[in-house]
Amino acid sequence: MTFYQELQLNQAGSKNLLKKSETLKEKLYHMWVYLVKIAVTMAFCFFFVSIFSILFGNENSIVGVVVLLCLMVFRNADLGIHTGQSTMLLALFFVIMTVCPHLANQFSPVLGMLLNIAALAVLILFGCHNPFMFNQSTLVLGYLLLYGYDVTGKSYQMRLVGMVLGAALTCFVFYRNHKNRTYKRNLKDLIQEFDITSSRTKWQICQILCVPIVLCIAELCNMPRAMWAGIAAMSTILPFMEDMHYRVRKRIVGNIAGVICFTVLYFLLPSSIYAYIGILGGIGVGFSAQYGWQAVFNTFGALAIAAETYGLQGAVSLRVIQNVFGVVFALAFCVIFYWFMSKKKESEVTVHAE
């Protein structure tokens, strides 16, 4: 494996190489490549988001984050269908992420929920056909981030331009990297494969319904940062219930651990470098291959931003409450939904037998 190829590995792949190293020299080499990868990735991410902030305003730095996520994911990940159709779908996804979160914020929580359900239905049914590729962690996360950091007026006009640029970049990189691949399925096949009895479709429906409902409830209860609850719910909804239980536990424990670590750093470090705690969290995520540790370090960036608005105590309280609410509600929703579907299936079998 070349130096460049090793740089392309994810955290789990790099750590697997370290684990399999037979000599100290080999282990030190893989560790050095791993550290270079983290440094290069962090530098590139910081530079990329900074450029978007300069071009489109600090309030639209989140656009840089969303575009960066899409570029980094879809340069390798696909949608499982013909490349041309996938590219058009990606363009549509950007339109949805640009328009629908902004419109939903203009409506009441209930009407906003209905719009969010419709928007997520398109993103998930056509962009997340393979749940184990975790495209929802890019598309739904991007949608929720733009929903949570909504802007108006001139700032929204600049956001439109930024998202158009992001769509063009993502579609170009996606098509270039996937144009030579052969796919046996197309958009029509995705529609035909929708099956309410399959684990995949039930998982998709849970994502489509549960995440907007979580947002709506949080907003009706006047809880700031409702997107935190939505993101927590999205990240824990998986096709198999045992996997969900694992993620719920890790999310809650990781979130509380992250809050404690952030609080310690907040009191130990001078106020002039509070903003860099979020960068420290990004580095930690880069070193984390397991979901639990990712939950710990993801908390840093969120709290670093929220503490400026709500203070340390307010930000910490919101983070814990929103995350616990999001994952517990998601688990309860999916348990009830799966139970209802199993009962419906049993009744249909009984009717057919009679």
Side-chain angles (χ1 to χ4, degrees), residues 78 90 126 128 132 147 163-164 168 175 179 192 199 209 218 227-228 259 263 272 308 312 314 326-327 343 353:
D78 58 44
L90 278 178
F126 298 109
C128 308
F132 299 105
Y147 180 87
M163 289 296 285
V164 169
Y175 186 80
K179 63 182 179 180
Q192 292 176 340
S199 297
L209 296 179
M227 67 171 179
W228 282 352
V259 163
T263 303
S272 58
E308 297 179 3
L312 178 63
V327 298
K343 289 296 182 181

Side-chain angles (χ1 to χ4, degrees), residues 246-247 249-258 288-299:
Y246 170 82
R247 285 219 164 185
R249 291 195 304 269
K250 293 297 183 180
R251 183 82 185 192
I252 293 176
V253 174
N255 181 66
I256 293 174
S288 304
Q290 296 182 353
Y291 178 78
W293 283 108
Q294 291 172 358
V296 172
F297 290 111
N298 275 325
T299 302

Side-chain angles (χ1 to χ4, degrees), residues 12-23 26-27 30:
S14 296
K15 290 189 174 183
N16 188 47
L17 279 180
L18 284 168
K19 186 177 180 180
K20 292 181 177 179
S21 298
E22 298 179 354
T23 65
E26 187 180 357
K27 184 180 289 290
H30 292 314

Side-chain angles (χ1 to χ4, degrees), residues 64-306:
V65 174
V66 172
V67 173
L68 180 62
L69 280 172
C70 291
L71 280 172
M72 295 183 71
V73 170
F74 290 115
R75 67 191 180 97
N76 294 319
D78 58 44
L79 302 184
I81 61 174
H82 185 271
T83 302
Q85 293 182 350
S86 294
T87 305
M88 289 188 289
L89 280 175
L90 278 178
L92 174 62
F93 296 160
F94 268 87
V95 172
I96 290 172
M97 289 191 292
T98 303
V99 176
C100 293
H102 179 67
L103 286 179
N105 273 293
Q106 313 308 311
F107 298 152
S108 67
V110 175
L111 289 178
M113 177 189 70
L114 297 177
L115 177 57
N116 288 332
I117 288 174
L120 292 190
V122 178
L123 295 179
I124 292 171
L125 291 177
F126 298 109
C128 308
H129 196 64
N130 183 355
F132 299 105
M133 291 189 71
F134 293 99
N135 284 348
Q136 72 275 10
S137 296
T138 302
L139 296 173
V140 180
L141 175 61
Y143 184 96
L144 293 175
L145 288 174
L146 292 168
Y147 180 87
Y149 293 102
D150 190 35
V151 291
T152 57
K154 179 66 175 179
S155 295
Y156 182 66
Q157 294 175 13
M158 297 302 293
R159 176 164 294 190
L160 289 174
V161 178
M163 289 296 285
V164 169
L165 175 60
L169 285 172
T170 303
C171 290
F172 170 77
V173 171
F174 178 85
Y175 186 80
R176 184 197 63 185
N177 290 6
H178 299 275
K179 63 182 179 180
N180 294 324
R181 297 186 182 182
T182 301
Y183 298 95
K184 297 181 179 180
R185 296 153 68 242
N186 54 35
L187 184 59
K188 183 178 179 181
D189 293 317
L190 294 189
I191 298 173
Q192 292 176 340
E193 289 173 14
F194 182 87
D195 180 6
I196 194 65
T197 63
S198 71
S199 297
R200 176 179 57 212
T201 301
K202 286 188 286 188
W203 164 77
Q204 290 175 317
I205 292 174
C206 282
Q207 284 274 0
I208 292 167
L209 296 179
C210 182
V211 174
I213 291 174
V214 165
L215 287 175
C216 180
I217 294 175
E219 290 173 347
L220 288 174
C221 295
N222 294 317
M223 289 193 290
R225 302 280 172 174
M227 67 171 179
W228 282 352
I231 292 171
M234 176 274 296
S235 69
T236 53
I237 298 175
L238 296 173
F240 302 107
M241 196 55 63
E242 57 269 26
D243 295 332
M244 274 200 69
H245 283 106
Y246 170 82
R247 285 219 164 185
V248 167
R249 291 195 304 269
K250 293 297 183 180
R251 183 82 185 192
I252 293 176
V253 174
N255 181 66
I256 293 174
V259 163
I260 293 172
C261 292
F262 179 89
T263 303
V264 172
L265 291 173
Y266 193 88
F267 284 110
L268 290 178
L269 299 176
S271 58
S272 58
I273 62 173
Y274 283 166
Y276 295 99
I277 300 178
I279 297 177
L280 179 63
I283 295 173
V285 171
F287 279 103
S288 304
Q290 296 182 353
Y291 178 78
W293 283 108
Q294 291 172 358
V296 172
F297 290 111
N298 275 325
T299 302
F300 286 20
L303 288 178
I305 297 173

